[in-house]
Amino acid sequence: MAIVRICIGTSCYLKGAYNVLQLFQHEIEARGLHDKIEISGSFCMGQCQNDVSVDVDGSVYNVSPETAYKFFEETIMPRL
């Protein structure tokens, strides 16, 4: 199971955290991955100077709404 946490702190929220979260939730739903991916929000991860912070199994990445689908495909899916 992959554990995904998306920063919903002020900086990340303004950079599109809600859109990233929505895309991830849509992909999880569409692919029937509820039992393989645990997704949640998290407050500040200390990466405010970058895009939206996304923690996948303990590794923090920076994702924008524009790169979220590619990130889901290339980073999250291989961990399943």
Side-chain angles (χ1 to χ4, degrees):
M1 172 177 279
I3 299 174
V4 179
R5 295 183 314 128
I6 300 169
C7 179
I8 56 171
T10 304
S11 180
C12 286
Y13 180 80
L14 293 173
K15 293 175 185 172
Y18 180 76
N19 295 333
V20 172
L21 176 62
Q22 290 292 81
L23 184 137
F24 288 179
Q25 287 179 324
H26 172 78
E27 291 302 316
I28 290 167
E29 178 74 27
R31 299 172 192 224
L33 299 173
H34 290 89
D35 60 337
K36 297 189 184 316
I37 300 174
E38 179 182 318
I39 190 166
S40 64
S42 174
F43 288 105
C44 189
M45 295 181 189
Q47 304 281 322
C48 300
Q49 70 279 12
N50 300 315
D51 287 327
V52 178
S53 296
V54 177
D55 179 313
V56 181
D57 294 333
S59 296
V60 178
Y61 301 88
N62 299 296
V63 181
S64 70
E66 295 78 24
T67 62
Y69 181 80
K70 183 177 179 181
F71 178 82
F72 190 88
E73 285 291 319
E74 295 178 359
T75 306
I76 297 173
M77 288 301 295
R79 294 177 185 252
L80 304 183

